[in-house]
Amino acid sequence: MSKRGGDSLNIIRRIRDGIGRVFVGNEPAVRTLLATLLVEGHALLLGPVGSGKTTLARLLALTIGGTFKRVQVTNETLPSDIIGFVIYTPTGDSRLVRGPIFANVVLLDELNRAPQRTLSALLEAMQERQVTIDGTPLELPRPHMVVATMNITEVELGYTQQLPLAIIDRFTSSIYVGYASEDEERMVVKDIDRIERELATMSSVVSVSEVMKLIDGVKGIYVDDVVHTYLMSIIKELRSDPRLIAPLSTRAAISLFRLSRAFALLDGRNYVIPDDVKAAAYPTLMHRIWLRPEYRGSVSAVDVLNEVINKVPVPHFIIENMA
């Protein structure tokens, strides 16, 4: 591995170790959230109440030396509560009040409770990395990541609405954060005083500039044409599945491509292998697979994706001189 690759692994190790001092278990969730950050994407955190979703998002911001803001979304949350607004004084002066969206990591708790106009206001921020306040476009900081939570149980029971597909498609990944295992939970309970102290006093373990180097490094990860064809074959197969309400967007294919490269970097490789594509397929595609009503009782999104992964032939290739 090159010196640059070794530097990247060192930065990644420090971030993981920093998060691991407080957040116990759920290693796949930590890995996928970090990969999503490295492709400058946005993440949808799913899982039961009290599984640590808020803590994980906050830890990510703290370890990279970034800012963190949390918004508890309700059906009364206005666009200005997230984006910001302008105050005009009687003298005619104006003052810009920046909203939580200007943090490096923004947690929108229970986003599916938001009214439609608030969700619409997020589209510009998530797609263009800027917001418009009082007619003035304002750039968001880099890195910038929207992390939203959604209580899937309440959605399934009909207590809250499902997020619109236009919003869902803006999330690079969906990550399930479950409860810790029995042993891990016992460790958390026993060590809770230290964990809370660490969380309250934690400082960054890497700098924002180092994170930006990782982000640039992901863009240099090599994807062979054979692997790219394999990736697009998975997308094509899903698009032709009659059980889906809507075909996957080009944005879905781009997310799969980018997250596959990030997984390769996290594993210390400068090239993507089919296993990276398989691993990235679940977090990037699961939330985009919307089943027709007549199939929802007999098959799940993971069933559909499993069928496609098993059906599409895995390519065999040799990477030379990539070390």
Side-chain angles (χ1 to χ4, degrees), residues 112-148:
N112 53 307
R113 295 183 182 274
Q116 291 299 317
R117 62 174 179 165
T118 301
L119 293 174
S120 298
L122 285 173
L123 293 176
E124 181 184 17
M126 296 178 72
Q127 185 63 34
E128 301 178 29
R129 299 195 186 99
Q130 70 171 32
V131 295
T132 301
I133 301 177
D134 200 34
T136 303
L138 301 168
E139 287 189 10
L140 295 172
R142 293 185 67 194
H144 183 261
M145 185 182 199
V146 173
V147 180

Side-chain angles (χ1 to χ4, degrees), residues 9-303:
L9 286 179
N10 179 263
I11 298 171
I12 292 166
R13 178 188 57 76
R14 280 185 281 151
I15 295 174
R16 282 177 160 171
D17 289 348
I19 292 174
R21 293 206 304 266
V22 174
F23 191 81
V24 179
N26 274 303
E27 173 56 31
V30 175
R31 171 181 165 87
T32 305
L33 187 64
L34 179 55
T36 304
L37 173 71
L38 297 187
V39 300
E40 295 190 274
H42 309 290
L44 184 62
L45 298 187
L46 308 174
V49 175
S51 56
K53 299 184 291 293
T54 300
T55 300
L56 179 56
R58 183 182 174 191
L59 279 170
L60 182 65
L62 288 173
T63 54
I64 67 171
T67 53
F68 173 77
K69 294 292 183 181
R70 176 181 178 270
V71 178
Q72 180 61 54
V73 180
T74 71
N75 58 2
E76 297 180 347
T77 300
L78 300 174
S80 57
D81 293 330
I82 298 174
I83 305 301
F85 51 90
V86 173
I87 296 176
Y88 291 93
T89 66
T91 61
D93 296 328
S94 62
R95 179 168 63 89
L96 173 66
V97 179
R98 295 174 183 259
I101 198 69
F102 284 91
N104 294 111
V105 179
V106 187
L107 176 66
L108 303 178
D109 227 342
E110 297 187 281
L111 181 60
N112 53 307
R113 295 183 182 274
Q116 291 299 317
R117 62 174 179 165
T118 301
L119 293 174
S120 298
L122 285 173
L123 293 176
E124 181 184 17
M126 296 178 72
Q127 185 63 34
E128 301 178 29
R129 299 195 186 99
Q130 70 171 32
V131 295
T132 301
I133 301 177
D134 200 34
T136 303
L138 301 168
E139 287 189 10
L140 295 172
R142 293 185 67 194
H144 183 261
M145 185 182 199
V146 173
V147 180
T149 69
M150 182 172 70
N151 190 316
I152 53 178
T153 302
E154 290 189 356
V155 172
E156 292 169 352
L157 292 174
Y159 297 154
T160 56
Q161 64 182 350
Q162 173 65 279
L163 287 171
L165 186 56
I167 290 288
I168 285 283
D169 200 39
R170 259 67 179 189
F171 286 99
T172 303
S173 62
S174 61
I175 305 169
Y176 185 81
V177 183
Y179 291 127
S181 67
E182 185 176 340
D183 289 341
E184 290 167 343
E185 188 173 33
R186 185 183 296 110
M187 185 188 308
V188 169
V189 173
K190 184 178 180 180
D191 218 16
I192 187 61
D193 293 333
R194 181 198 61 80
I195 290 174
E196 289 184 342
R197 188 168 57 252
E198 286 265 12
L199 187 59
T201 60
M202 178 171 283
S203 58
S204 62
V205 295
V206 299
S207 64
V208 170
S209 62
E210 287 178 307
V211 175
M212 293 308 301
K213 287 180 182 178
L214 289 180
I215 290 172
D216 291 338
V218 169
K219 295 174 182 177
I221 299 296
Y222 174 75
V223 183
D224 191 84
D225 287 343
V226 174
V227 178
H228 186 262
T229 299
Y230 172 63
L231 182 153
M232 294 307 300
S233 296
I234 292 174
I235 299 294
K236 181 180 178 181
E237 193 67 35
L238 281 168
R239 281 178 177 160
S240 65
D241 196 313
R243 295 170 293 183
L244 272 60
I245 291 177
L248 297 183
S249 67
T250 301
R251 192 179 289 111
I254 293 171
S255 294
L256 180 56
F257 177 79
R258 287 175 171 168
L259 208 68
S260 297
R261 293 193 300 185
F263 279 165
L265 181 72
L266 291 178
D267 285 341
R269 277 180 281 102
N270 55 1
Y271 58 90
V272 174
I273 61 176
D275 282 349
D276 296 321
V277 178
K278 287 182 182 180
Y282 290 89
T284 56
L285 304 180
M286 285 282 292
H287 58 296
R288 294 178 164 102
I289 298 176
W290 284 29
L291 297 171
R292 296 183 182 277
E294 59 267 31
Y295 294 106
R296 288 175 189 167
S298 57
V299 69
S300 66
V302 70
D303 294 329

